[in-house]
Amino acid sequence: MSKQEQLIEFVIQDVVEMITNDQGIEYDEAMNKFYSSEVFEKLQNHETGLYRESSAYVYDLFRDEMNFGHIVQAEI
C-alpha cells in the first residue's frame, strides 16, 4: 500500500467516525453515506490532492455536500 493510499484510508476512517458521532448513526450506515458521496470520489482521485487535507476539512466538504447537494468549495 502506497503512502497516498494509507493517507486516504486514515481520512476515510476519521470521517466515518465523525459522521457516526455527529449523526448518531451506526458505523456501517455512516460508511455507506460517505462511500456514496462525491467527496469520497474526489478523495480517491490522487490528482485532486484531497487526501493531503485534514480529516476535518474533508468532513466539512462532506457536510456541505449533504446540505447543499454538491461540494461547495471551488478548489476541488
Side-chain angles (χ1 to χ4, degrees):
M1 181 179 284
S2 72
K3 190 167 202 130
Q4 290 172 331
E5 291 169 338
Q6 285 180 324
L7 291 171
I8 290 169
E9 285 301 314
F10 292 143
V11 171
I12 291 169
Q13 290 174 5
D14 289 347
V15 170
V16 171
E17 187 72 30
M18 290 175 190
I19 295 168
T20 300
N21 291 335
D22 285 353
Q23 297 184 13
I25 59 177
E26 295 293 322
Y27 196 84
D28 290 349
E29 186 179 349
M31 280 176 41
N32 288 335
K33 280 187 171 192
F34 187 58
Y35 285 9
S36 64
S37 71
E38 184 180 346
V39 173
F40 179 76
E41 289 179 33
K42 301 288 185 190
L43 181 61
Q44 296 289 324
N45 182 346
H46 295 188
E47 291 180 20
T48 66
L50 187 57
Y51 67 90
R52 291 188 220 124
E53 299 292 343
S54 71
S55 299
Y57 179 82
V58 175
Y59 180 61
D60 284 343
L61 289 176
F62 173 77
R63 284 192 343 200
D64 287 344
E65 181 181 348
M66 293 299 103
N67 290 332
F68 302 109
H70 56 86
I71 299 174
V72 174
Q73 281 75 6
E75 69 264 14
I76 296 182

